[in-house]
Amino acid sequence: MKHLTKLVAILIAITEFSYADQDIWKSKGPHVRIKKNDRDGSYVVFKRTTDDRKLFKISKDKKDRIKMKAAYYRNPKGYLSTGRIFDAQGTLIYRVRYGYDKETGLLIAEDMFDARARYYYPPSVRDKKGKRVEMPIRRVYYFYDADGNQSKAISLVPKKGKFAADVFKKSRDTMDLYSKEKSFDTSTSTNPLHDNPFEQEKKEKRRRTPR
């Protein structure tokens, strides 16, 4: 009986993950993970497709009411490419786009666009087809140390109280339209790799696998 009790305890431990943030992780099969906040009872459900090309993230409060939904997509090479963020009613509110370094393949940029209203750079900014270019309402740039570890990230938002034309006429650099966001925390970005349990498990598996 004692051996059976120990075995059950081990099986329970395998399906629960605990990280430094003290949140509780639970496994519901190979494609579903649940992250519970032990302080307020809220939780997040992560689901992925069998081919790992799509990741779905659903945030709920302690009464099981949906607070927000998100869907993220990988390209055929496995890189996170786009994201869609929805409110509790299922209305699309943000679109997200991710960019990578051509040589290292590291994520270097994250652009968020307002799905309810389109904002554009000044008329003089055009793409190769001559069309106006949509302006992100938030840009996140990631930086890495010599070993490829993410060292810092900065967030930029459109400058407050300035008209695009007034700012842009001083320079042809579109970066002039943005200012650094204060008190930025990478956990508040829309990059699901920061809290994706499946990514954490992949890292743990690689770490345990003998070379």
Side-chain angles (χ1 to χ4, degrees):
M1 187 65 181
K2 289 183 178 179
H3 292 293
L4 179 60
T5 302
K6 288 183 178 179
L7 179 60
V8 171
I10 292 173
L11 291 174
I12 292 174
I14 290 175
T15 58
E16 294 190 1
F17 306 87
S18 179
Y19 293 98
D21 59 3
Q22 301 303 313
D23 290 329
I24 299 174
W25 292 84
K26 292 185 178 180
S27 171
K28 297 292 184 181
H31 306 298
V32 180
R33 299 289 182 272
I34 298 176
K35 176 184 178 182
K36 183 178 181 181
N37 187 323
D38 205 32
R39 293 176 290 278
D40 60 14
S42 63
Y43 63 98
V44 179
V45 179
F46 291 87
K47 297 180 181 180
R48 66 175 176 177
T49 54
T50 53
D51 60 3
D52 204 23
R53 291 282 298 277
K54 298 179 183 178
L55 174 69
F56 303 97
K57 180 179 177 181
I58 305 172
S59 302
K60 297 184 178 182
D61 63 18
K62 63 180 180 182
K63 294 183 179 180
D64 297 327
R65 293 175 298 198
I66 295 176
K67 297 190 295 181
M68 188 171 289
K69 295 180 181 180
Y72 300 96
Y73 306 89
R74 295 180 188 271
N75 62 24
K77 293 184 178 180
Y79 289 101
L80 187 68
S81 57
T82 59
R84 300 288 185 271
I85 300 173
F86 306 82
D87 64 14
Q89 286 71 44
T91 302
L92 178 63
I93 53 178
Y94 299 115
R95 293 176 288 110
V96 188
R97 181 178 64 195
Y98 302 92
Y100 299 83
D101 184 278
K102 292 182 179 180
E103 295 183 1
T104 64
L106 295 172
L107 176 66
I108 57 174
E110 171 188 318
D111 286 347
M112 175 188 281
F113 301 89
D114 193 328
R116 296 157 295 181
R118 288 183 179 271
Y119 299 91
Y120 294 90
Y121 288 110
S124 56
V125 180
R126 304 275 174 166
D127 63 17
K128 293 181 179 180
K129 295 182 179 180
K131 296 182 179 180
R132 294 192 64 181
V133 180
E134 186 176 8
M135 184 171 69
I137 61 172
R138 186 187 200 187
R139 310 188 91 174
V140 178
Y141 289 95
Y142 296 96
F143 299 90
Y144 301 84
D145 61 21
D147 297 320
N149 300 309
Q150 189 178 118
S151 58
K152 63 178 180 177
I154 61 171
S155 175
L156 303 178
V157 292
K159 288 185 178 179
K160 224 173 188 181
K162 296 281 187 180
F163 287 103
D166 294 335
V167 177
F168 193 74
K169 67 182 180 183
K170 299 177 182 178
S171 169
R172 297 194 61 82
D173 186 356
T174 56
M175 291 298 292
D176 281 355
L177 297 174
Y178 291 91
S179 60
K180 190 173 181 180
E181 185 177 14
K182 296 179 180 179
S183 303
F184 172 69
D185 183 354
T186 52
S187 64
T188 66
S189 77
T190 51
N191 179 5
L193 300 183
H194 288 304
D195 58 354
N196 185 342
F198 301 109
E199 294 295 328
Q200 294 286 350
E201 291 168 25
K202 287 179 184 177
K203 291 179 181 179
E204 286 295 317
K205 186 176 181 180
R206 287 195 295 266
R207 186 178 62 83
R208 293 194 300 266
T209 302
R211 296 182 179 180

